[in-house]
Amino acid sequence: MTDTSTAPRTTPPTAPASEVVVVRAVPERPALEGLEAKWSSKWDADGTYAFVRPERRDQVFSIDTPPPTVSGSLHVGHVFSYTHTDLIARYQRMTGKSVYYPIGWDDNGLPTERRVQNFYGVRCDPSVPYDPDFTPPAKPDPKRQVPISRRNFVALCHELTEVDEKAFEDLWRQVGLSVDWSTLYTTISDESITVAQRAFLRNAARDEAYLAEAPTVWDVTFQSAIAQAEVEARDYPGAFHKIAFHAAQGPVYIETTRPELIGACVALLTHPEDERFAGLVGQTVTSPVFGVELPVLAHPLVEKDLGSGLVMCCTFGDQTDVTWWRELQLPARVIIGRDGRILAEVPEWIPESGRSAYEQLAGKTTFSAREAMVALLRESGDLDGEPKPTQRKANFFEKGDKPLEIVSTRQWYIRNGGRDAELRDRMLQRGRELGWVPEHMRHRYEDWVGGLNGDWLISRQRFFGVPFPVWYRLDDQGEPDYQNPLFAEESALPVDPSTDTPTGYADDQRGVPGGFVGDPDVMDTWATSSLTPQIVCGWERDPELFELTFPMDLNTNAHDIIRTWLFDRVIRSHFENDSLPWARSMISGFVTDPDRKKMSKSKGNATVPTEVLDKFGTDAVRWRAALARPGLDSPFDETQMKVGRRLAMKVLNASKLILGYPEPQPGTAITEPADQAMLAELRTVITAATQHFEAYDYTTALEVTERFFWQFCDDYLELVKERAYGSSGETGADSARAALLRALDVILRLFAPILPYVTEEVWSWWKPGSVHHAAWPSVDEFDDAAGDRQLLADVAAALIAIRGAKSTAKVSMKIEITRAEFAGPAETLNRVRSVEADLRAVGRITGAVEWTERDGELSVDVTLADPS
């Protein structure tokens, strides 16, 4: 990320909109095509969105956005979510804040590795020596991947991510994100590695991070530990097996979907209040086939009504087994290895009589071992009946396709409250301190924190990631001393223990007895992206920047990563900074397909963003994005873009018409009732739009503005069009012209956060500078707007009636009206009568106008001229 410490300190560019008119340069035929390329280039050249350091923290609005995984693909849902952030950024900039709005790429971890493997046809094998002249296969074959060294593999990861990052940047520039591209960061840069390693070292020094041998959720396909936040439950076919264990009084039965784990069984359990097995508790039983003696114990988590009421506790079938094992202090008898197969060596707890049976399972996958175990149970007579098919819930890695196993491994953890009630309560309190948009999203946070069942596992058995800055001494037998890790010095960061050496050691001592070995694992990518506020705000790198921007003002992300990215940043900032990382979190919903199914590449229902952007224009897509309220899912239909495009074109055409009128005389007073009424209405729009943007309700702010704009175009602009040309004299014309210019000035600023390209284009026709540096409209600009707002509604009703009469008669709107009768309450007639001249012009009323007082709504009866 570029160091912004040398940026000049100036006042943020928030000068109020000027009434000084420059030479108008209105094109003959305004068009939306080409606006993105034109203005993106100019914004970049002018540094329009560069962060300029002000004097005080309260002059800054800083935003933390999710760094997208560049090895993946973006769909229109991502465009919507990131646009929502940009709407707030642009609004805050116009209110006078110096907006600190960085963007980054999450480019390390498993997704990148998988993409590199498939793209280049290679796989990482740390045992292969580094080849400085290595080139990938000319014709990559993902099914026959070439083994290469870790160093060569990491180099390919960097090479491919640079290509992916360029494509992502091009897309976000087209979307019009007003980020400061000079602050671009990546999660695998030296700076990010330094931040992640420094934070880890401090966590470890404070005992917030620790190394432990423990039951670990493990993905056998990717050969890596998996954190709780990455686990998802899916339906999986299985079968219940009723199996006999042998007690002194005869067989007792359990029902299980995983008979292959009988060899890992450490106890049978029952509920403390289940009278059926009360006499069995405290006794022992013998396992079928293997003949292992097991205790029968009681635990309240056993469900009395599930199966027989008696269950196996195995090490480990699921997280409940882990809980039982830990709380009842049972032995660990693990028989499944990291490859997902039954361990080859017969465990010492299996008696001689069971060895041959175990050998028939050894080396098999869990699926094959299950079939073999069922055959053994049939043979021994311990299977009661046949297996009964069922659909069960199994846990999967969110990116995997095989059920997860729980194996015993040594991993690094960060405490998160999953095993510490006091810390969990503190994290719940942090959630209550945070401002939530919408508020109900706080409950998702609380549900996640309240349901944590273990600390955050942050180590991964992968290759492209942030290395742990840790080594281990080797004893005289060459065994690592895991109890006393060797930590890197902060001043040496970033380090890679696979190539760097710990203090006091030389490289020739690597891997030899009495020497050292580096930690081979890397940090989970979330362990780095959980520090994005520290990375972007210059923690320990740029104290001035950190003071101006941290804690940040706003975090934005979709609701599916509240449990990961949002919570992880809360825990890291709590430990390191004793604060929240930001004051408020704005949560976006999913964009779904028309059937309300979440968009995803795997489902084949994701819309490619560039297709709709190129077809309808960015402003149209941003308009549709702004209709998706925070926290709510929004079904996407491509035809909706047509409405947004129509709005953008209307802004161009209406602006061209307004700017085509002669310039009003300097100091022109706005005296006509219709003009005053329009400005009075516009004042209420400013108030409402401002209130909604302040509440992060960009949707209602858009709705209020757009509703006024269409009324302005359809009714007011049509009403005063002829007068503005001078049909009623220069005084009335100047009043209309001045009112139109004032309204256009405000409308462009109100639309600017949502439609940045078309508003910038129109602004450039008659105003200096950028609309995005203009001040957000204020009601103080309309102290003289003393008009009657109800007049606009009355005019709209009158115009509808006049147009309706001509439409019913199927004649041109230019047909003259030889007689018109306006009927309604006296106060309504008085208002409409004040704009009679304008109504005559717009309605082509050439004959007499009658005013009839009566109750009810305004009605208009007209006599049309003979069209022949």
Side-chain angles (χ1 to χ4, degrees):
M1 184 173 70
T2 301
D3 186 349
T4 59
S5 61
T6 59
R9 180 183 292 111
T10 63
T11 303
T14 55
S18 172
E19 290 296 336
V20 176
V21 178
V22 298
V23 176
R24 297 180 185 176
V26 183
E28 183 64 29
R29 294 183 178 178
L32 298 176
E33 286 71 24
L35 294 186
E36 291 89 349
K38 172 183 177 180
W39 289 110
S40 291
S41 176
K42 183 165 177 53
W43 291 335
D44 190 48
D46 294 349
T48 303
Y49 306 121
F51 175 63
V52 178
R53 299 189 186 199
E55 296 291 340
R56 305 187 312 274
R57 173 65 181 89
D58 61 2
Q59 295 172 315
V60 173
F61 191 87
S62 54
I63 304 173
D64 190 19
T65 58
T69 303
V70 294
S71 57
S73 58
L74 296 175
H75 54 69
V76 74
H78 296 103
V79 171
F80 277 30
S81 182
Y82 282 80
T83 296
H84 296 161
T85 308
D86 191 60
L87 302 177
I88 301 301
R90 288 180 177 278
Y91 166 74
Q92 290 291 339
R93 190 177 290 110
M94 294 178 73
T95 64
K97 291 296 179 72
S98 187
V99 174
Y100 187 58
Y101 183 17
I103 194 167
W105 313 129
D106 191 2
D107 47 12
N108 73 81
L110 179 59
T112 297
E113 290 187 23
R114 291 177 67 187
R115 175 155 159 71
V116 168
Q117 289 169 354
N118 294 328
F119 188 86
Y120 291 110
V122 299
R123 63 179 175 85
C124 183
D125 183 346
S127 67
V128 175
Y130 171 65
D131 180 359
D133 299 319
F134 172 77
T135 56
K139 295 182 178 180
D141 184 352
K143 295 182 179 179
R144 296 178 181 174
Q145 295 173 343
V146 177
I148 61 175
S149 73
R150 178 174 181 172
R151 186 173 170 186
N152 287 126
F153 184 78
V154 168
L156 290 181
C157 290
H158 281 291
E159 182 179 299
L160 190 57
T161 55
E162 286 183 10
V163 176
D164 293 337
E165 287 164 4
K166 181 62 171 66
F168 271 46
E169 180 176 336
D170 289 345
L171 174 64
W172 289 137
R173 284 183 180 275
Q174 184 177 0
V175 171
L177 298 190
S178 60
V179 301
D180 183 349
W181 287 101
S182 70
T183 61
L184 179 68
Y185 68 95
T186 67
T187 58
I188 201 62
S189 68
D190 284 351
E191 182 179 319
S192 294
I193 292 174
T194 298
V195 169
Q197 290 183 335
R198 180 191 299 121
F200 167 78
L201 290 172
R202 295 189 182 183
N203 289 143
R206 296 189 295 257
D207 194 36
E208 297 154 359
Y210 62 92
L211 183 67
E213 173 86 24
T216 306
V217 179
W218 186 266
D219 186 275
V220 299
T221 302
F222 300 110
Q223 292 286 288
S224 182
I226 302 299
Q228 182 181 352
E230 298 171 297
V231 175
E232 63 182 31
R234 302 177 195 165
D235 288 329
Y236 192 72
F240 280 113
H241 306 75
K242 189 174 183 181
I243 300 169
F245 283 65
H246 304 284
Q249 61 271 43
V252 293
Y253 293 91
I254 62 98
E255 291 187 31
T256 180
T257 60
R258 301 203 64 182
E260 73 276 14
L261 290 178
I262 291 175
C265 186
V266 292
L268 293 191
L269 304 180
T270 183
H271 193 278
E273 298 176 0
D274 194 334
E275 297 178 356
R276 295 173 295 175
F277 304 107
L280 193 61
V281 174
Q283 298 187 27
T284 59
V285 297
T286 303
S287 65
V289 178
F290 300 118
V292 178
E293 190 170 326
L294 304 166
V296 180
L297 306 171
H299 195 282
L301 287 182
V302 176
E303 297 181 58
K304 292 189 292 183
D305 300 329
L306 184 63
S308 68
L310 198 64
V311 300
M312 290 195 301
C313 175
C314 301
T315 50
F316 299 92
D318 58 23
Q319 286 292 348
T320 306
D321 280 339
V322 176
T323 301
W324 289 330
W325 166 78
R326 183 177 290 124
E327 294 185 1
L328 296 174
Q329 299 184 344
L330 296 167
R333 294 175 177 171
V334 178
I335 66 170
I336 297 178
R338 293 187 177 193
D339 59 358
R341 295 176 180 271
I342 304 299
L343 296 176
E345 186 175 344
V346 179
E348 51 86 17
W349 63 85
I350 301 288
E352 189 65 31
S353 60
R355 290 181 65 87
S356 63
Y358 183 90
E359 288 171 350
Q360 295 181 53
L361 308 181
K364 294 183 181 295
T365 65
T366 54
F367 181 82
S368 297
R370 188 175 308 143
E371 292 182 330
M373 190 68 208
V374 170
L376 290 169
L377 289 167
R378 285 197 184 99
E379 183 180 328
S380 68
D382 293 315
L383 182 66
D384 187 339
E386 287 300 304
K388 298 178 181 178
T390 184
Q391 279 288 107
R392 65 186 180 96
K393 287 289 185 182
N395 286 330
F396 288 76
F397 174 38
E398 59 188 1
K399 296 180 176 65
D401 55 12
K402 290 183 180 179
L404 296 169
E405 297 292 348
I406 298 179
V407 301
S408 183
T409 63
R410 183 175 286 103
Q411 308 284 348
W412 283 102
Y413 296 84
I414 288 180
R415 304 184 192 279
N416 64 1
R419 300 176 62 184
D420 181 337
E422 183 178 349
L423 179 57
R424 181 168 55 248
D425 289 344
R426 189 69 188 92
M427 291 302 97
L428 290 170
Q429 178 59 35
R430 287 293 190 198
R432 289 187 281 271
E433 295 169 8
L434 180 63
W436 292 87
V437 181
E439 173 63 26
H440 71 263
M441 284 296 168
R442 176 172 56 86
H443 300 301
R444 295 201 181 199
Y445 173 92
E446 292 180 343
D447 288 346
W448 172 251
V449 177
L452 289 169
N453 56 32
D455 286 331
W456 178 16
L457 189 158
I458 63 166
S459 49
R460 293 292 181 273
Q461 290 64 54
R462 305 304 305 172
F463 311 109
F464 188 53
V466 176
F468 284 93
V470 179
W471 300 264
Y472 307 100
R473 296 182 183 89
L474 297 178
D475 63 19
D476 293 341
Q477 285 72 45
E479 293 297 319
D481 178 8
Y482 292 113
Q483 300 302 313
N484 300 286
L486 301 171
F487 293 104
E489 299 290 335
E490 281 194 24
S491 59
L493 301 180
V495 300
D496 183 347
S498 69
T499 55
D500 297 323
T501 58
T503 302
Y505 289 82
D507 197 57
D508 60 4
Q509 294 176 278
R510 185 184 300 276
V512 299
F516 70 94
V517 65
D519 193 308
D521 294 343
V522 297
M523 297 183 195
D524 168 28
T525 186
W526 293 109
T528 305
S529 56
S530 63
L531 295 163
T532 53
Q534 287 80 6
I535 292 171
V536 301
C537 293
W539 175 56
E540 298 289 318
R541 172 182 62 83
D542 187 337
E544 181 190 59
L545 179 65
F546 195 75
E547 187 71 22
L548 283 172
T549 57
F550 185 93
M552 304 183 84
D553 294 278
L554 180 66
N555 155 65
T556 60
N557 57 256
H559 56 70
D560 59 329
I561 54 174
I562 289 175
R563 63 193 174 93
T564 50
W565 193 49
L566 190 149
F567 174 64
D568 294 346
R569 285 171 295 160
V570 170
I571 193 77
R572 300 304 290 276
S573 290
H574 171 76
F575 283 147
E576 190 57 47
N577 308 105
D578 192 26
S579 72
L580 285 168
W582 359 257
R584 177 172 282 97
S585 186
M586 185 174 75
I587 307 298
S588 60
F590 289 144
V591 175
T592 65
D593 65 15
D595 295 327
R596 292 191 174 271
K597 295 178 181 178
K598 181 186 175 183
M599 283 189 177
S600 71
K601 185 178 179 181
S602 61
K603 293 179 181 177
N605 64 348
T607 300
V608 179
T610 51
E611 292 181 358
V612 293
L613 289 166
D614 292 342
K615 185 175 181 179
F616 298 103
T618 296
D619 283 333
V621 176
R622 289 176 61 100
W623 169 85
R624 176 59 186 85
L627 294 183
R629 296 180 184 276
L632 297 181
D633 293 350
S634 180
F636 176 78
D637 184 346
E638 186 179 297
T639 58
Q640 297 167 323
M641 302 298 103
K642 296 178 182 178
V643 181
R645 183 175 176 83
R646 176 172 171 257
L647 172 64
M649 278 303 306
K650 191 67 173 179
V651 171
L652 283 180
N653 292 329
S655 301
K656 180 178 184 294
L657 175 63
I658 293 170
L659 295 176
Y661 290 120
E663 186 74 18
Q665 293 297 316
T668 293
I670 299 173
T671 56
E672 295 297 316
D675 306 335
Q676 294 175 334
M678 181 274 293
L679 294 179
E681 179 66 20
L682 185 53
R683 179 173 181 163
T684 68
V685 172
I686 292 171
T687 299
T690 303
Q691 289 174 346
H692 290 302
F693 256 121
E694 287 293 320
Y696 297 84
D697 182 6
Y698 48 77
T699 303
T700 306
L702 168 60
E703 291 173 346
V704 168
T705 302
E706 188 176 0
R707 188 182 308 117
F708 171 83
F709 176 69
W710 286 114
Q711 182 188 40
F712 171 83
C713 293
D714 294 343
D715 297 332
Y716 173 76
L717 188 51
E718 286 298 311
L719 181 70
V720 304
K721 184 164 59 176
E722 297 300 324
R723 174 157 55 89
Y725 277 123
S727 63
S728 300
E730 285 304 305
T731 300
D734 272 352
S735 177
R737 294 165 188 167
L740 287 167
L741 290 177
R742 291 185 65 180
L744 180 60
D745 182 308
V746 171
I747 289 169
L748 292 176
R749 286 182 281 152
L750 289 173
F751 273 138
I754 296 137
L755 311 175
Y757 289 110
V758 71
T759 53
E760 187 77 305
E761 172 70 7
V762 173
W763 193 265
S764 72
W765 295 348
W766 66 309
K767 294 275 190 178
S770 171
V771 68
H772 305 298
H773 281 178
W776 182 255
S778 167
V779 293
D780 294 339
E781 300 173 30
F782 291 85
D783 289 339
D784 59 342
D788 186 345
R789 294 169 47 219
Q790 184 58 40
L791 173 58
L792 293 185
D794 294 337
V795 166
L799 292 177
I800 288 173
I802 292 170
R803 292 165 182 160
K806 293 182 179 181
S807 178
T808 300
K810 298 181 179 180
V811 296
S812 168
M813 292 295 156
K814 296 181 179 180
I815 289 295
E816 295 181 354
I817 294 175
T818 57
R819 172 189 164 277
E821 180 186 14
F822 293 83
E827 58 183 13
T828 300
L829 295 180
N830 289 336
R831 284 192 294 266
V832 176
R833 200 166 190 170
S834 69
V835 295
E836 179 179 342
D838 289 335
L839 281 174
R840 281 182 173 274
V842 70
R844 300 293 193 269
I845 304 173
T846 58
V849 174
E850 302 172 10
W851 306 92
T852 304
E853 191 175 323
R854 70 180 182 201
D855 295 335
E857 296 181 353
L858 178 69
S859 64
V860 184
D861 181 63
V862 302
T863 301
L864 301 175
D866 185 352
S868 61

